[in-house]
Amino acid sequence: MPPQPPKALKPRKTPSQSRSRVTVDAIFEATIQVLLSQGMAGLTTTGVAERAGVSVGTMYQYFPNKQALVYALNERFLTTLAEQVEATCARMQGRPFEEAAEALIDTYWAAKTERPELTRALYRSVAELETDALLHAFAARVDKATTEIFCQTSDFRSPDAGEVNLLLTTVIYGSVRNAFERGLGQEEISGLKSGLKAMCRAYLVAVGK
Amino acid sequence: MPPQPPKALKPRKTPSQSRSRVTVDAIFEATIQVLLSQGMAGLTTTGVAERAGVSVGTMYQYFPNKQALVYALNERFLTTLAEQVEATCARMQGRPFEEAAEALIDTYWAAKTERPELTRALYRSVAELETDALLHAFAARVDKATTEIFCQTSDFRSPDAGEVNLLLTTVIYGSVRNAFERGLGQEEISGLKSGLKAMCRAYLVAVGK
DNA sequence: CCAATATCTGAATGATCCTTCATATAATCT
DNA sequence: AGATTATATGAAGGATCATTCAGATATTGG
């Protein structure tokens, strides 16, 4: 594999007939399954194809290479997450930021908790790809949505709203991830969640208008 | 490579003569260099050996396989970090927790900032290994050190000290990591650092004795 | 029903690269 | 110095896989 530019990560062809849409879905689901059971190291094109019940060639009709597959998978989930965050922000328009922050935490948490093992697998898979652009775009999109909330309803005094926004986003996102990467029990996890909320609330109150 | 048990991750042999200690150091440094320039995907045994100026066979005298090499590298850094954390905790014995928390943040931050690119590379490399045990041991060691501080000097009321400790550790560690994974400028980074401190402080004050 | 188009197949190719081992050189010890 | 142990060499073996392509099968539109 050539070191830097993995050719292209973009899909090769978009399905037009319904049977190919089924195929692509099957490939995605198979990728998830293999990722869950074998991890990124055990993810082979033939393995995924077999699990999906299609031939390798079919895979290559939609994804130019293996990494494009994992890339697309992550893109899918990040897009969904971004939409959920935007929805939460829209719903929280005009509410006090403490509430908005809590709602954001709930949103992240729910998204990651839905399939915890998959969450961990995806976190790992991202590390082995050229996903900087993807992650950056996601971060920008989320920042935009949250900034609107934090700026609109507020007149912060000391640090400006953008800074607070970056801090909250970073802390929330990072903490949620870290909470997942430790192998914690259910009680500890939910304890962390409410603790994180309390922390954000305390900070906002201390620094707030 | 067999899916699950990567044979052993333990070193094969410990150097006894001084020339072999030099060799092992060279291998470690070469691993770092390759990791920095090619990433985990471009890390090959022959590549590392070449960069280190030794033959592949030599590498295999000290590491049973490629992953053991990366494992050992991470182990080295985590051990150093754990020692630094313990030192910080020892130094902070008896001081108010707000100060202790700030000192902890400084310690983490300094460790990660020393070689930022290496930090990112190691974060990524860990994802592709069976490092659960390693990370768990590290987490336990750090938890132990910080717990002593937070329990000793304090009589918390509502959530118990252990919970607060877990929360702080998770938030600090996760936030530092996330701060690194965004590609931020120097000003934003240091803004985040002080913001994180303020947040921990606000939380501790709000919940504290 | 017949083109035209979309989708699928999977053996064969070829590249990569981890790992071994028989042999060589250097250090240490007695 | 001779024997023993430590360390180094790197070509060759062999396994794994990503990727291609020439040809088969299915769907659609006219």
Side-chain angles (χ1 to χ4, degrees), chain A residues 11 14 32 39-40 43 74 78 87 113 117 121 126 132 139 144 153 156 162 165 176-178 182 193 197 203:
Chain A
T14 330
I32 292 176
M40 192 66 169
L43 189 91
N74 277 284
L78 284 180
T113 312
E117 286 314 312
V126 161
D132 288 349
K144 185 162 178 290
T153 337
F156 275 109
N165 184 56
V176 171
R177 171 171 189 164
N178 198 253
R182 304 169 175 246
K193 184 181 171 186
K197 284 184 180 178
Y203 173 73

Side-chain angles (χ1 to χ4, degrees), chain B residues 16-17 20 23 55 57-58 61-62:
Chain B
S16 72
Q17 301 180 355
S20 57
T23 299
S55 83
T58 297
Q61 218 134 38
Y62 301 101

